[in-house]
Amino acid sequence: MGKKWFTSLLTVLFVLSLALVGCSSNSSSGGSAGSPEQELTYATTSKVVGLSPILTNDSVSSTVIEQIYETLFVRDSKGEIVPHLAESVENPDENTWVIKLKKDIKFHDGTPFNAESVKYTFDKLKDPKTAAPRASLLAPVSSIEVQDEHTVVLKTEKPYGPMLAALTHSNAAIVSPAADKKQDLMKDPVGTGPFKFSEKVNGDDIVLVKNEDYWQKPAKLEKLTFTVVPEVSTAISMLQTGKVQLIDGLAPELMPRLEKIKNVETQKVDGTPVYYLAFNMEKAPMNDLKFRQAVSHAINREGYLKKLNGLGVYSNTFIGPEVFGHPKDDKGPKFDQEKAKELVKANGFDKKEVKMLVANTASYMNMAEVIQAQLKEVGIPAKIETLEWGTYLDVSKTGDFDITIAGWSNVTGDGSELLFPRLHSANIDATNLSRYKDAELDKLIDESRSVVDQEQRQEILTKADEYVMTQLPVLPIYHGIASAAYDKSVKGFKMEPTGQWSLYSVHRE
């Protein structure tokens, strides 16, 4: 009897221990047993380049930056530009912007947000010694003056139409001057946002915690972890098992798998990004219009879109449908393999292999392989060279390629803030990857930035886009759909057309 009783007791204890382990597992992964902790883990396939809004210009870094720092203005749910850290803005004349700032806001280090901090940030962004990748945002600004503690005055030599749009850009976010002077914000960031930097773990993972002293109500989430998961399929498995609660920039081929996972929701929004082929205009045969026409006729862009499972929009324009300045008419080249073959044969474009530089993200690699195959069909040999994201960003600026696949999120949603960084000659060696230098296009872009009347700007941007689509320093492959997948316990998540998102209003239940 005693032996049987002892065996039964061991069995009961074993079953109870299994139940406790199960409960613990469900609780830690945000499962059904009780409410999940207010923590969220986001998975990205690439490492963050850095955490200073002034010194970075890549989508991976800006995802983290936008939780830590804030801008003077933002776009609301209707796409209208409204004050954020700013209180109001006035234009006493067309070359002057008087910006009143909100009061009683502090940086994470306890120092005050004020006009001096705005001047410091903008001066550093503009300073050639800084070599800021998006210095172009404030290039037209001739002076930045502190009128009083909560008023800053920006002056331009001529009207600057996209001024407020530029000030919504994450690269125009305000940094703590005190912190920037004593530490490296690329590694130890300090802003005014709802989350603040806590630590870096496991080499590349970044941990943020709630800013308890945030000037609005504190965020509901207590902790955010940005973890690097190189394989997208692994990230999806982690999302399915509850180890990760959010992924974005979804690969089209993985959408069917994601939509079948019961504990996962997906979100898609018509977006502002453009993904395109950039020709190195300083090298032959890329600097030959006939070569660029041959490539443009060789690529079946509408056919490629069918493989994207609803994650792309076709528009034979560089300025996309969701961006201000989008042309109504289509002036770009059409898919025509026979015409491409004729151009290749007549001009000997089949005699030299071209190097296609590609970042090693899933979507870019997939695009590159499709383009490579279609170029081969018309006789153009292309070799793919892949680089890690951060390395790609550096190498692509130097022009060490023949053609490259590039993307632009267009955070401001303004056409001139696509054309100026990507195609104006002032930005060769920076964001003008095509290394394109054309006086006529430069003039149109400059006009689009120096006119305040929005109807006039629309006309100028339409002309500029038509010029781009006939000269073809770039070929738009598709315009993006912003996309994300997240655990059903995540509530209040909303993507912007730019592909950006804030976790300030998100909670888990």
Side-chain angles (χ1 to χ4, degrees):
M1 285 290 291
K3 188 175 181 180
K4 285 183 179 180
W5 179 86
F6 183 70
T7 303
S8 298
L9 179 61
L10 285 176
T11 303
V12 170
L13 289 171
F14 178 69
V15 171
L16 282 171
S17 68
L18 285 178
L20 286 168
V21 169
C23 288
S24 173
S25 175
N26 279 339
S27 176
S28 63
S29 65
S32 58
S35 298
E37 293 181 3
Q38 293 304 313
E39 298 182 1
L40 185 144
T41 299
Y42 161 80
T44 176
T45 55
S46 301
K47 294 187 291 185
V48 164
V49 175
L51 295 173
S52 165
I54 297 172
L55 299 177
T56 56
N57 184 38
D58 66 288
S59 56
V60 179
S61 300
S62 68
T63 297
V64 185
I65 283 169
E66 284 164 30
Q67 317 306 318
I68 300 170
Y69 299 91
E70 295 177 298
T71 52
L72 298 185
F73 297 87
V74 296
R75 288 190 183 272
D76 64 15
S77 58
K78 297 176 183 177
E80 299 294 322
I81 297 173
V82 296
H84 188 60
L85 289 178
E87 184 67 47
S88 63
V89 60
E90 292 180 3
N91 294 104
D93 60 68
E94 60 183 10
N95 294 336
T96 305
W97 306 76
V98 179
I99 302 172
K100 298 281 187 183
L101 307 176
K102 286 187 171 73
K103 299 177 180 179
D104 301 320
I105 296 176
K106 290 186 177 181
F107 290 101
H108 301 153
D109 60 0
T111 58
F113 161 77
N114 52 28
E116 288 289 353
S117 59
V118 173
K119 177 175 170 56
Y120 176 90
T121 299
F122 291 172
D123 279 343
K124 183 161 184 175
L125 182 65
K126 283 177 57 64
D127 189 346
K129 293 178 184 176
T130 304
R134 287 311 315 275
S136 61
L137 288 167
L138 296 180
V141 176
S142 55
S143 70
I144 303 154
E145 301 168 5
V146 172
Q147 191 175 90
D148 59 46
E149 189 178 0
H150 298 104
T151 309
V152 66
V153 180
L154 308 185
K155 291 189 176 181
T156 58
E157 291 180 359
K158 54 186 177 181
Y160 180 31
M163 174 72 89
L164 293 186
L167 297 182
T168 68
H169 198 290
S170 57
N171 290 120
I174 311 303
V175 305
S176 160
D180 188 54
K181 289 171 185 174
K182 74 175 185 180
Q183 64 203 54
D184 183 359
L185 297 188
M186 291 289 274
K187 298 176 181 177
D188 193 4
V190 178
T192 60
F195 297 96
K196 57 185 182 179
F197 179 75
S198 174
E199 61 180 333
K200 203 168 187 182
V201 296
N202 303 323
D204 297 309
D205 295 355
I206 292 166
V207 178
L208 308 183
V209 294
K210 175 167 71 173
N211 175 13
E212 297 285 1
D213 300 316
Y214 187 50
W215 59 277
Q216 299 187 78
K217 288 182 180 179
K220 294 175 182 176
L221 290 172
E222 299 282 344
K223 178 181 174 184
L224 309 179
T225 303
F226 296 79
T227 187
V228 179
V229 182
E231 294 296 327
V232 179
S233 57
T234 304
I236 292 175
S237 296
M238 292 172 74
L239 181 65
Q240 186 170 8
T241 58
K243 292 180 181 177
V244 159
Q245 290 78 45
L246 173 64
I247 60 175
D248 65 356
L250 308 179
E253 65 272 17
L254 297 173
M255 283 301 292
R257 177 184 169 190
L258 282 163
E259 288 168 350
K260 289 176 184 174
I261 302 175
K262 291 181 180 179
N263 66 308
V264 169
E265 291 186 6
T266 59
Q267 191 174 120
K268 294 187 281 189
V269 179
D270 287 352
T272 59
V274 59
Y275 300 94
Y276 65 98
L277 203 60
F279 299 90
N280 187 336
M281 299 292 284
E282 293 181 346
K283 292 185 177 182
M286 285 63 64
N287 55 7
D288 186 333
L289 177 58
K290 290 178 181 177
F291 175 80
R292 303 195 298 277
Q293 289 172 334
V295 171
S296 301
H297 289 307
I299 300 171
N300 185 358
R301 292 174 284 157
E302 289 183 273
Y304 179 70
L305 269 174
K306 292 175 183 176
K307 300 178 180 180
L308 295 183
N309 289 314
L311 289 180
V313 172
Y314 176 77
S315 178
N316 206 6
T317 60
F318 194 43
I319 300 175
E322 298 298 316
V323 179
F324 177 79
H326 173 65
K328 294 178 181 178
D329 298 324
D330 173 356
K331 302 287 185 181
K334 304 290 193 296
F335 173 58
D336 188 337
Q337 274 192 324
E338 291 310 310
K339 195 168 185 177
K341 287 176 182 177
E342 288 174 17
L343 285 165
V344 169
K345 191 173 182 182
N347 296 279
F349 297 142
D350 54 349
K351 293 182 173 63
K352 182 187 175 185
E353 182 179 72
V354 295
K355 181 170 85 171
M356 179 161 38
L357 186 68
V358 186
N360 66 345
T361 64
S363 58
Y364 280 23
M365 284 297 299
N366 183 54
M367 208 186 318
E369 288 164 4
V370 171
I371 291 170
Q372 181 189 43
Q374 293 186 351
L375 291 180
K376 185 178 180 181
E377 286 178 22
V378 301
I380 299 174
K383 178 185 178 182
I384 296 173
E385 180 179 321
T386 61
L387 293 174
E388 182 273 329
W389 179 252
T391 308
Y392 166 81
L393 293 175
D394 292 334
V395 173
S396 60
K397 293 175 189 175
T398 67
D400 188 16
F401 62 86
D402 294 325
I403 54 179
T404 187
I405 291 174
W408 191 252
S409 298
N410 214 335
V411 174
T412 65
D414 191 289
S416 66
E417 292 308 306
L418 164 67
L419 298 182
F420 182 72
R422 277 330 206 187
L423 290 173
H424 196 286
S425 62
N427 292 308
I428 292 172
D429 291 325
T431 49
N432 180 353
L433 303 187
S434 300
R435 310 183 76 75
Y436 190 46
K437 189 174 184 178
D438 185 289
E440 189 171 340
L441 183 60
D442 279 357
K443 184 181 177 184
L444 286 169
I445 294 172
D446 289 339
E447 285 177 4
S448 77
R449 287 160 61 85
S450 61
V451 170
V452 175
D453 182 273
Q454 297 304 301
E455 287 185 14
Q456 259 187 288
R457 295 189 67 235
Q458 175 68 52
E459 290 176 14
I460 296 165
L461 288 168
T462 293
K463 284 182 186 176
D465 193 272
E466 289 173 354
Y467 189 81
V468 169
M469 294 307 294
T470 53
Q471 296 303 307
L472 297 170
V474 295
L475 177 72
I477 305 299
Y478 71 97
H479 296 273
I481 297 285
S483 60
Y486 48 92
D487 190 280
K488 284 189 176 179
S489 67
V490 175
K491 306 298 179 184
F493 178 81
K494 188 176 181 182
M495 295 213 65
E496 297 174 22
T498 58
Q500 296 173 294
W501 38 261
S502 167
L503 295 175
Y504 171 58
S505 300
V506 171
H507 69 282
R508 297 185 64 195
E509 61 181 43

